[in-house]
Amino acid sequence: MTSPTDSTECTSQETTHDAFLGGKVYVHQPKRGRHRAGLDAVYLAAALPDGTRGHVIDLGAGVGTAGFCAAARLPDIRVTLVDIDETVLALARRGLEDPANGAFSSRVSLLEADITAKGSARHAAGLTPAMADHAIMNPPYYEADRFRASPNSARAGAHMLDDRGLEPWAKTATDIVKEGGSLTVIFRADGLQELLSVLKGRFGAIEVIPLRPRQEAAATRVLLRAIRASKAPLRLMPGFVLHEGDGSEFTPQSKAVMRDGKGLGLSAR
């Protein structure tokens, strides 16, 4: 169903009310003109190991899909959704007020902050050092010098990295995650080298999980999990296949993640 948004910045824009995890989570998001959440957010949340506890910070949370899915699946976490966009945070707030999300909404809070700002500005906004046991993030996928941006500035901001690349995201994650805490990222597969480069010396015990659309296809996305200040070596994990055969049918494991709210079965390190 659709309804007009309450935000004055979304004047005349409609929103959709979308179910995730088989109806365990409902998200309010713009029908057009901004980034719309999809499977990446669900798999990002599913990569947190079963039994995860503590404070999870969702950096660049948008309307809250990944953070909501994590909170719905993991009863022993509290989640802070961080974004600079007032419009999407207003929709995340609407999601928290939605009775359909009542099972987890009391464990989720919102924080308006610029993830890419300098340390003093981030700290003043509430992104303080060692505040998180875990961080998750789905940063913009595309570098401005390699890909054409959307003419819509809000959508471009969600999809395009600026000329600093991933460095500000890695710096903020390093600052807010406690030593021994974890970082989980979903990113495009051909950007893995850049991702590993900015995490070097900051996070270790890195696990890379390729996400492949089909068994025989190359990965299009990677999930990366890492531990703050660890010296343990990198491990390349078994890949995760989304679809069976040549059609659009999802694999049983994919269905369990998307419809039943299951995790990927990863263990904490």
Side-chain angles (χ1 to χ4, degrees), residues 101-252:
N101 294 328
F104 60 82
S105 59
S106 65
R107 294 184 284 110
V108 181
S109 60
L110 308 178
L111 177 62
E112 183 180 337
D114 182 357
I115 295 159
T116 68
K118 292 183 178 180
S120 58
R122 294 196 315 267
H123 298 166
L127 276 173
T128 54
M131 69 183 293
D133 299 293
H134 313 280
I136 62 175
M137 65 186 194
N138 181 5
Y141 279 171
Y142 304 114
E143 298 99 334
D145 61 349
R146 289 185 58 202
F147 299 91
R148 176 181 291 182
S150 164
N152 180 287
S153 60
R155 180 176 291 169
H159 291 171
M160 305 294 293
L161 291 163
D162 63 23
D163 57 8
R164 296 171 295 172
L166 288 169
E167 175 65 22
W169 292 75
K171 186 177 293 186
T172 297
T174 304
D175 188 35
I176 67 169
V177 174
K178 298 173 182 176
E179 187 168 328
S182 74
L183 171 67
T184 306
V185 188
I186 189 165
F187 203 60
R188 60 177 212 282
D190 67 356
L192 177 59
Q193 183 175 351
E194 180 189 2
L195 186 55
L196 292 173
S197 176
V198 297
L199 296 182
K200 185 177 180 180
R202 293 166 165 162
F203 287 85
I206 292 173
E207 295 179 335
V208 179
I209 304 103
L211 298 182
R212 304 201 303 277
R214 288 173 178 78
Q215 183 68 42
E216 71 285 357
T220 55
R221 299 283 189 267
V222 288
L223 281 162
L224 181 148
R225 295 182 57 242
I227 304 300
R228 174 79 176 91
S230 173
K231 302 296 185 183
L234 179 147
R235 298 196 303 175
L236 183 61
M237 307 299 287
F240 190 95
V241 180
L242 302 183
H243 297 282
E244 294 190 293
D246 296 328
S248 58
E249 180 70 14
F250 286 98
T251 63

Side-chain angles (χ1 to χ4, degrees), residues 25 27-28 37 41 58 60-70 79 81 83 88-89 91-92 104 108 110:
V25 169
V27 171
H28 298 258
D58 184 354
V63 297
T65 310
F68 285 7
C69 289
V79 177
L81 309 176
D83 209 288
V88 296
L89 284 178
L91 292 174
F104 60 82
V108 181
L110 308 178

